[in-house]
Amino acid sequence: MMNSYSMTQLAASVASAIGAEAPNKSAAPIPAVEHLVENTFGGKADRVLIYNPDCIGLWFWQKYTEMFLPVQYHTQLTVPVATVMPSVTPVCFGTMYTGAMPAVHGIQSYTKPVIKIDSLFDSLTRSGKKVALAAVEGSSMALIFQERNIDYFLLPYDNDVTEKALELIKDDQYDVIVVYNQEYDDMIHDFTPEAPGAMEAARHHIRDFGRLADAVDEYWTKHDTLLVWASDHGNHVDWDGHGNHGEYREEDINVVHFYGAIPHRD
Ligand SMILES: [Zn+2]
């Protein structure tokens, strides 16, 4: 069975959380996220940190729940989400950040053109929010949302991206920071979704979300922060024994997102 919440709902959920306009083609926000923000802050968040680990599906969390302790520790809301077809990276992130189906945002296969329709990066900027995108250079996230009025930090690999994001949190100059990491996706294609290297990569993503959340706790004490863990799609073992994704099957379509509301302390 496919999850009932859709990937088209994240953009509006995040926009609503920080009191910004949603992208103009996006679906409605997830009510539970709005309740979390309202109940925790008594209003809106003034900071958002989104961590995008590529390729971690719902099944992986179901099977290795214990491994996610650093994520669960910093979040209060667990949201099952169905991604879109074909379940490949640029298509799914295209939908995550426009709130629109692939036929509307225009990427319907594994290609990485710049998306022309309204995105969360545009609507946040229109609403006066300062946005940073830290991603691995050449990745979908580095390419498909170019030409926006945001600051791009495109770096060789995950560690560089995470270190930059930690620095950005410490400097506290951005309202919204989006962080994209890809090691797990790389590993499942090279090996299998549960090969030792892939398991290690998943642990890295979970650890790094914990590091980013700890930095928010340490440096954003004056802010009400929404933390988001949002993967783009899942994966399955293909006929050739390697991990793959892109199909309409539960392992690829079902993902799980986590939301945390961290109130200011100062
Ligand atoms: Zn992906």
Side-chain angles (χ1 to χ4, degrees):
M1 185 169 120
M2 303 303 180
N3 291 330
S4 55
Y5 277 152
S6 167
M7 189 63 88
T8 56
Q9 297 178 271
L10 181 138
S13 301
V14 169
S16 165
I18 196 165
E21 229 179 276
N24 63 25
K25 296 281 197 294
S26 74
I30 296 166
V33 177
E34 294 191 297
H35 284 288
L36 172 71
V37 168
E38 178 62 33
N39 292 341
T40 310
F41 304 141
K44 298 296 186 182
D46 67 322
R47 287 284 183 275
V48 177
L49 177 80
I50 304 177
Y51 183 67
N52 291 139
D54 205 310
C55 201
I56 296 186
L58 176 71
W59 71 263
F60 190 89
W61 171 69
Q62 289 175 310
K63 188 163 177 181
Y64 299 106
T65 311
E66 188 69 19
M67 194 192 284
F68 284 77
L69 199 60
V71 179
Q72 312 267 219
Y73 178 78
H74 290 284
T75 56
Q76 296 93 17
L77 187 64
T78 302
V79 182
V81 171
T83 198
V84 291
M85 277 296 287
S87 48
V88 295
T89 305
V91 174
C92 298
F93 278 122
T95 290
M96 187 188 293
Y97 285 101
T98 60
M101 291 298 285
V104 177
H105 69 62
I107 303 183
Q108 299 187 78
S109 63
Y110 191 81
T111 54
K112 305 175 182 178
V114 174
I115 287 180
K116 298 298 183 190
I117 73 161
D118 201 31
S119 71
L120 184 63
F121 299 105
D122 302 292
S123 67
L124 288 171
T125 303
R126 279 202 300 281
S127 304
K129 307 297 179 191
K130 208 173 158 199
V131 183
L133 169 58
V136 177
E137 55 196 14
S139 68
S140 297
M141 279 300 287
L143 297 173
I144 67 177
F145 295 110
Q146 281 292 326
E147 301 172 17
R148 267 67 185 188
N149 191 17
I150 64 173
D151 289 333
Y152 299 90
F153 300 91
L154 308 179
L155 296 156
Y157 207 57
D158 287 0
N159 288 345
D160 313 287
V161 170
T162 305
E163 289 303 324
K164 175 54 74 179
L166 290 167
E167 205 180 294
L168 296 176
I169 294 167
K170 186 175 181 184
D171 292 347
D172 192 18
Q173 298 297 308
Y174 292 94
D175 303 300
V176 178
I177 301 177
V178 174
V179 186
Y180 167 79
N181 275 179
Q182 69 178 52
E183 186 187 2
Y184 180 69
D185 188 273
D186 290 343
M187 286 295 156
I188 73 112
H189 290 290
D190 286 351
F191 305 103
T192 71
E194 298 173 87
M199 297 304 290
E200 204 49 42
R203 270 188 214 98
H204 291 159
H205 295 325
I206 291 164
R207 175 200 67 196
D208 288 343
F209 179 85
R211 292 173 69 205
L212 294 164
D214 285 342
V216 166
D217 279 342
E218 185 175 355
Y219 297 111
W220 287 1
T221 56
K222 290 185 167 55
H223 299 293
D224 291 325
T225 302
L226 181 72
L227 276 177
V228 187
W229 163 290
S231 204
D232 52 342
H233 53 73
N235 60 65
H236 64 271
V237 179
D238 227 345
W239 57 273
D240 64 356
H242 287 282
N244 205 353
H245 52 89
E247 297 179 16
Y248 191 72
R249 48 196 286 167
E250 287 181 23
E251 307 100 291
D252 290 11
I253 296 295
N254 285 341
V255 296
V256 59
H257 292 174
F258 303 100
Y259 290 85
I262 317 295
H264 70 276
R265 300 198 305 276
D266 295 343

PDB file of all heavy atoms in Angstrom, residues 118-144:
ATOM      1  N   ASP A 118       7.398  28.087 -10.194  1.00  0.00           N
ATOM      2  CA  ASP A 118       7.602  28.621  -8.849  1.00  0.00           C
ATOM      3  C   ASP A 118       8.026  27.502  -7.885  1.00  0.00           C
ATOM      4  O   ASP A 118       7.438  26.419  -7.884  1.00  0.00           O
ATOM      5  CB  ASP A 118       6.282  29.250  -8.384  1.00  0.00           C
ATOM      6  CG  ASP A 118       6.495  30.261  -7.276  1.00  0.00           C
ATOM      7  OD1 ASP A 118       7.560  30.913  -7.250  1.00  0.00           O
ATOM      8  OD2 ASP A 118       5.577  30.416  -6.445  1.00  0.00           O
ATOM      9  N   SER A 119       9.040  27.807  -7.080  1.00  0.00           N
ATOM     10  CA  SER A 119       9.515  26.816  -6.106  1.00  0.00           C
ATOM     11  C   SER A 119       9.517  27.436  -4.719  1.00  0.00           C
ATOM     12  O   SER A 119       9.345  28.657  -4.560  1.00  0.00           O
ATOM     13  CB  SER A 119      10.935  26.370  -6.465  1.00  0.00           C
ATOM     14  OG  SER A 119      11.848  27.434  -6.199  1.00  0.00           O
ATOM     15  N   LEU A 120       9.759  26.596  -3.729  1.00  0.00           N
ATOM     16  CA  LEU A 120       9.873  27.085  -2.352  1.00  0.00           C
ATOM     17  C   LEU A 120      11.001  28.114  -2.246  1.00  0.00           C
ATOM     18  O   LEU A 120      10.904  29.070  -1.477  1.00  0.00           O
ATOM     19  CB  LEU A 120      10.127  25.901  -1.413  1.00  0.00           C
ATOM     20  CG  LEU A 120      10.178  26.215   0.093  1.00  0.00           C
ATOM     21  CD1 LEU A 120       8.843  26.756   0.597  1.00  0.00           C
ATOM     22  CD2 LEU A 120      10.555  24.957   0.888  1.00  0.00           C
ATOM     23  N   PHE A 121      12.064  27.926  -3.033  1.00  0.00           N
ATOM     24  CA  PHE A 121      13.177  28.879  -2.989  1.00  0.00           C
ATOM     25  C   PHE A 121      12.708  30.263  -3.450  1.00  0.00           C
ATOM     26  O   PHE A 121      13.136  31.286  -2.928  1.00  0.00           O
ATOM     27  CB  PHE A 121      14.344  28.368  -3.834  1.00  0.00           C
ATOM     28  CG  PHE A 121      14.875  27.051  -3.345  1.00  0.00           C
ATOM     29  CD1 PHE A 121      14.597  25.864  -4.027  1.00  0.00           C
ATOM     30  CD2 PHE A 121      15.623  26.977  -2.179  1.00  0.00           C
ATOM     31  CE1 PHE A 121      15.056  24.637  -3.557  1.00  0.00           C
ATOM     32  CE2 PHE A 121      16.094  25.766  -1.695  1.00  0.00           C
ATOM     33  CZ  PHE A 121      15.811  24.590  -2.388  1.00  0.00           C
ATOM     34  N   ASP A 122      11.812  30.287  -4.446  1.00  0.00           N
ATOM     35  CA  ASP A 122      11.256  31.557  -4.937  1.00  0.00           C
ATOM     36  C   ASP A 122      10.281  32.159  -3.929  1.00  0.00           C
ATOM     37  O   ASP A 122      10.324  33.357  -3.642  1.00  0.00           O
ATOM     38  CB  ASP A 122      10.520  31.323  -6.262  1.00  0.00           C
ATOM     39  CG  ASP A 122      11.434  30.728  -7.317  1.00  0.00           C
ATOM     40  OD1 ASP A 122      12.358  31.431  -7.757  1.00  0.00           O
ATOM     41  OD2 ASP A 122      11.240  29.552  -7.691  1.00  0.00           O
ATOM     42  N   SER A 123       9.370  31.339  -3.416  1.00  0.00           N
ATOM     43  CA  SER A 123       8.324  31.885  -2.539  1.00  0.00           C
ATOM     44  C   SER A 123       8.906  32.342  -1.205  1.00  0.00           C
ATOM     45  O   SER A 123       8.456  33.341  -0.634  1.00  0.00           O
ATOM     46  CB  SER A 123       7.185  30.873  -2.349  1.00  0.00           C
ATOM     47  OG  SER A 123       7.608  29.751  -1.619  1.00  0.00           O
ATOM     48  N   LEU A 124       9.935  31.650  -0.721  1.00  0.00           N
ATOM     49  CA  LEU A 124      10.592  32.097   0.516  1.00  0.00           C
ATOM     50  C   LEU A 124      11.266  33.443   0.285  1.00  0.00           C
ATOM     51  O   LEU A 124      11.178  34.348   1.123  1.00  0.00           O
ATOM     52  CB  LEU A 124      11.640  31.063   0.967  1.00  0.00           C
ATOM     53  CG  LEU A 124      11.110  29.749   1.543  1.00  0.00           C
ATOM     54  CD1 LEU A 124      12.261  28.758   1.736  1.00  0.00           C
ATOM     55  CD2 LEU A 124      10.390  29.973   2.877  1.00  0.00           C
ATOM     56  N   THR A 125      11.948  33.568  -0.858  1.00  0.00           N
ATOM     57  CA  THR A 125      12.639  34.815  -1.181  1.00  0.00           C
ATOM     58  C   THR A 125      11.632  35.965  -1.302  1.00  0.00           C
ATOM     59  O   THR A 125      11.853  37.052  -0.764  1.00  0.00           O
ATOM     60  CB  THR A 125      13.427  34.644  -2.496  1.00  0.00           C
ATOM     61  OG1 THR A 125      14.320  33.535  -2.339  1.00  0.00           O
ATOM     62  CG2 THR A 125      14.237  35.880  -2.821  1.00  0.00           C
ATOM     63  N   ARG A 126      10.519  35.720  -1.991  1.00  0.00           N
ATOM     64  CA  ARG A 126       9.463  36.745  -2.111  1.00  0.00           C
ATOM     65  C   ARG A 126       8.939  37.177  -0.754  1.00  0.00           C
ATOM     66  O   ARG A 126       8.527  38.313  -0.562  1.00  0.00           O
ATOM     67  CB  ARG A 126       8.265  36.179  -2.893  1.00  0.00           C
ATOM     68  CG  ARG A 126       8.405  36.183  -4.393  1.00  0.00           C
ATOM     69  CD  ARG A 126       7.028  36.136  -5.066  1.00  0.00           C
ATOM     70  NE  ARG A 126       6.229  34.976  -4.741  1.00  0.00           N
ATOM     71  CZ  ARG A 126       6.392  33.762  -5.292  1.00  0.00           C
ATOM     72  NH1 ARG A 126       7.340  33.540  -6.185  1.00  0.00           N
ATOM     73  NH2 ARG A 126       5.603  32.755  -4.945  1.00  0.00           N
ATOM     74  N   SER A 127       8.942  36.243   0.182  1.00  0.00           N
ATOM     75  CA  SER A 127       8.429  36.534   1.521  1.00  0.00           C
ATOM     76  C   SER A 127       9.493  37.145   2.421  1.00  0.00           C
ATOM     77  O   SER A 127       9.305  37.244   3.638  1.00  0.00           O
ATOM     78  CB  SER A 127       7.880  35.248   2.147  1.00  0.00           C
ATOM     79  OG  SER A 127       6.899  34.666   1.314  1.00  0.00           O
ATOM     80  N   GLY A 128      10.632  37.495   1.824  1.00  0.00           N
ATOM     81  CA  GLY A 128      11.676  38.183   2.580  1.00  0.00           C
ATOM     82  C   GLY A 128      12.612  37.276   3.357  1.00  0.00           C
ATOM     83  O   GLY A 128      13.376  37.739   4.199  1.00  0.00           O
ATOM     84  N   LYS A 129      12.564  35.977   3.076  1.00  0.00           N
ATOM     85  CA  LYS A 129      13.440  35.043   3.789  1.00  0.00           C
ATOM     86  C   LYS A 129      14.764  34.884   3.049  1.00  0.00           C
ATOM     87  O   LYS A 129      14.809  34.832   1.817  1.00  0.00           O
ATOM     88  CB  LYS A 129      12.776  33.668   3.918  1.00  0.00           C
ATOM     89  CG  LYS A 129      11.382  33.691   4.513  1.00  0.00           C
ATOM     90  CD  LYS A 129      11.380  34.213   5.933  1.00  0.00           C
ATOM     91  CE  LYS A 129       9.947  34.236   6.493  1.00  0.00           C
ATOM     92  NZ  LYS A 129       9.898  34.973   7.779  1.00  0.00           N
ATOM     93  N   LYS A 130      15.835  34.787   3.831  1.00  0.00           N
ATOM     94  CA  LYS A 130      17.158  34.577   3.263  1.00  0.00           C
ATOM     95  C   LYS A 130      17.439  33.068   3.282  1.00  0.00           C
ATOM     96  O   LYS A 130      17.329  32.431   4.343  1.00  0.00           O
ATOM     97  CB  LYS A 130      18.192  35.340   4.111  1.00  0.00           C
ATOM     98  CG  LYS A 130      19.405  35.760   3.329  1.00  0.00           C
ATOM     99  CD  LYS A 130      20.323  36.651   4.136  1.00  0.00           C
ATOM    100  CE  LYS A 130      21.710  36.581   3.511  1.00  0.00           C
ATOM    101  NZ  LYS A 130      22.764  37.021   4.430  1.00  0.00           N
ATOM    102  N   VAL A 131      17.799  32.539   2.124  1.00  0.00           N
ATOM    103  CA  VAL A 131      17.883  31.086   1.976  1.00  0.00           C
ATOM    104  C   VAL A 131      19.269  30.648   1.515  1.00  0.00           C
ATOM    105  O   VAL A 131      19.840  31.245   0.599  1.00  0.00           O
ATOM    106  CB  VAL A 131      16.843  30.586   0.942  1.00  0.00           C
ATOM    107  CG1 VAL A 131      16.869  29.064   0.824  1.00  0.00           C
ATOM    108  CG2 VAL A 131      15.435  31.067   1.305  1.00  0.00           C
ATOM    109  N   ALA A 132      19.792  29.587   2.131  1.00  0.00           N
ATOM    110  CA  ALA A 132      21.050  28.957   1.707  1.00  0.00           C
ATOM    111  C   ALA A 132      20.768  27.528   1.278  1.00  0.00           C
ATOM    112  O   ALA A 132      20.010  26.810   1.939  1.00  0.00           O
ATOM    113  CB  ALA A 132      22.058  28.962   2.858  1.00  0.00           C
ATOM    114  N   LEU A 133      21.373  27.119   0.175  1.00  0.00           N
ATOM    115  CA  LEU A 133      21.292  25.727  -0.280  1.00  0.00           C
ATOM    116  C   LEU A 133      22.701  25.154  -0.328  1.00  0.00           C
ATOM    117  O   LEU A 133      23.541  25.620  -1.099  1.00  0.00           O
ATOM    118  CB  LEU A 133      20.640  25.661  -1.673  1.00  0.00           C
ATOM    119  CG  LEU A 133      20.703  24.324  -2.402  1.00  0.00           C
ATOM    120  CD1 LEU A 133      20.052  23.198  -1.599  1.00  0.00           C
ATOM    121  CD2 LEU A 133      20.022  24.432  -3.776  1.00  0.00           C
ATOM    122  N   ALA A 134      22.961  24.153   0.525  1.00  0.00           N
ATOM    123  CA  ALA A 134      24.264  23.480   0.559  1.00  0.00           C
ATOM    124  C   ALA A 134      24.079  22.086  -0.025  1.00  0.00           C
ATOM    125  O   ALA A 134      23.267  21.299   0.475  1.00  0.00           O
ATOM    126  CB  ALA A 134      24.781  23.403   1.993  1.00  0.00           C
ATOM    127  N   ALA A 135      24.802  21.797  -1.108  1.00  0.00           N
ATOM    128  CA  ALA A 135      24.597  20.518  -1.798  1.00  0.00           C
ATOM    129  C   ALA A 135      25.892  20.050  -2.448  1.00  0.00           C
ATOM    130  O   ALA A 135      26.828  20.831  -2.649  1.00  0.00           O
ATOM    131  CB  ALA A 135      23.507  20.664  -2.861  1.00  0.00           C
ATOM    132  N   VAL A 136      25.908  18.768  -2.793  1.00  0.00           N
ATOM    133  CA  VAL A 136      27.052  18.195  -3.496  1.00  0.00           C
ATOM    134  C   VAL A 136      27.046  18.718  -4.941  1.00  0.00           C
ATOM    135  O   VAL A 136      26.002  18.676  -5.611  1.00  0.00           O
ATOM    136  CB  VAL A 136      26.977  16.652  -3.481  1.00  0.00           C
ATOM    137  CG1 VAL A 136      28.136  16.046  -4.277  1.00  0.00           C
ATOM    138  CG2 VAL A 136      26.981  16.136  -2.036  1.00  0.00           C
ATOM    139  N   GLU A 137      28.181  19.201  -5.416  1.00  0.00           N
ATOM    140  CA  GLU A 137      28.213  19.806  -6.749  1.00  0.00           C
ATOM    141  C   GLU A 137      27.879  18.764  -7.822  1.00  0.00           C
ATOM    142  O   GLU A 137      28.256  17.611  -7.717  1.00  0.00           O
ATOM    143  CB  GLU A 137      29.569  20.487  -7.024  1.00  0.00           C
ATOM    144  CG  GLU A 137      30.766  19.607  -6.847  1.00  0.00           C
ATOM    145  CD  GLU A 137      32.080  20.395  -6.747  1.00  0.00           C
ATOM    146  OE1 GLU A 137      32.051  21.626  -6.555  1.00  0.00           O
ATOM    147  OE2 GLU A 137      33.135  19.747  -6.862  1.00  0.00           O
ATOM    148  N   GLY A 138      27.101  19.180  -8.810  1.00  0.00           N
ATOM    149  CA  GLY A 138      26.700  18.281  -9.888  1.00  0.00           C
ATOM    150  C   GLY A 138      25.478  17.450  -9.565  1.00  0.00           C
ATOM    151  O   GLY A 138      24.921  16.781 -10.437  1.00  0.00           O
ATOM    152  N   SER A 139      25.028  17.465  -8.297  1.00  0.00           N
ATOM    153  CA  SER A 139      23.846  16.679  -7.918  1.00  0.00           C
ATOM    154  C   SER A 139      22.583  17.359  -8.431  1.00  0.00           C
ATOM    155  O   SER A 139      22.595  18.535  -8.808  1.00  0.00           O
ATOM    156  CB  SER A 139      23.775  16.552  -6.392  1.00  0.00           C
ATOM    157  OG  SER A 139      23.498  17.826  -5.807  1.00  0.00           O
ATOM    158  N   SER A 140      21.486  16.618  -8.403  1.00  0.00           N
ATOM    159  CA  SER A 140      20.197  17.197  -8.809  1.00  0.00           C
ATOM    160  C   SER A 140      19.893  18.462  -8.030  1.00  0.00           C
ATOM    161  O   SER A 140      19.497  19.486  -8.603  1.00  0.00           O
ATOM    162  CB  SER A 140      19.071  16.180  -8.586  1.00  0.00           C
ATOM    163  OG  SER A 140      19.260  15.053  -9.400  1.00  0.00           O
ATOM    164  N   MET A 141      20.049  18.395  -6.716  1.00  0.00           N
ATOM    165  CA  MET A 141      19.720  19.566  -5.890  1.00  0.00           C
ATOM    166  C   MET A 141      20.632  20.754  -6.196  1.00  0.00           C
ATOM    167  O   MET A 141      20.241  21.901  -6.004  1.00  0.00           O
ATOM    168  CB  MET A 141      19.784  19.198  -4.403  1.00  0.00           C
ATOM    169  CG  MET A 141      18.542  18.488  -3.898  1.00  0.00           C
ATOM    170  SD  MET A 141      17.029  19.486  -4.075  1.00  0.00           S
ATOM    171  CE  MET A 141      17.275  20.713  -2.789  1.00  0.00           C
ATOM    172  N   ALA A 142      21.841  20.472  -6.654  1.00  0.00           N
ATOM    173  CA  ALA A 142      22.753  21.567  -7.002  1.00  0.00           C
ATOM    174  C   ALA A 142      22.333  22.240  -8.301  1.00  0.00           C
ATOM    175  O   ALA A 142      22.653  23.407  -8.526  1.00  0.00           O
ATOM    176  CB  ALA A 142      24.180  21.034  -7.132  1.00  0.00           C
ATOM    177  N   LEU A 143      21.614  21.521  -9.163  1.00  0.00           N
ATOM    178  CA  LEU A 143      21.357  22.005 -10.525  1.00  0.00           C
ATOM    179  C   LEU A 143      19.933  22.466 -10.792  1.00  0.00           C
ATOM    180  O   LEU A 143      19.723  23.474 -11.463  1.00  0.00           O
ATOM    181  CB  LEU A 143      21.727  20.897 -11.521  1.00  0.00           C
ATOM    182  CG  LEU A 143      23.214  20.503 -11.518  1.00  0.00           C
ATOM    183  CD1 LEU A 143      23.440  19.283 -12.406  1.00  0.00           C
ATOM    184  CD2 LEU A 143      24.092  21.661 -11.973  1.00  0.00           C
ATOM    185  N   ILE A 144      18.930  21.743 -10.296  1.00  0.00           N
ATOM    186  CA  ILE A 144      17.559  22.007 -10.779  1.00  0.00           C
ATOM    187  C   ILE A 144      16.924  23.254 -10.177  1.00  0.00           C
ATOM    188  O   ILE A 144      15.921  23.744 -10.691  1.00  0.00           O
ATOM    189  CB  ILE A 144      16.632  20.781 -10.600  1.00  0.00           C
ATOM    190  CG1 ILE A 144      16.382  20.463  -9.126  1.00  0.00           C
ATOM    191  CG2 ILE A 144      17.196  19.564 -11.327  1.00  0.00           C
ATOM    192  CD1 ILE A 144      15.407  19.284  -8.912  1.00  0.00           C
TER     193      ILE A 144
END
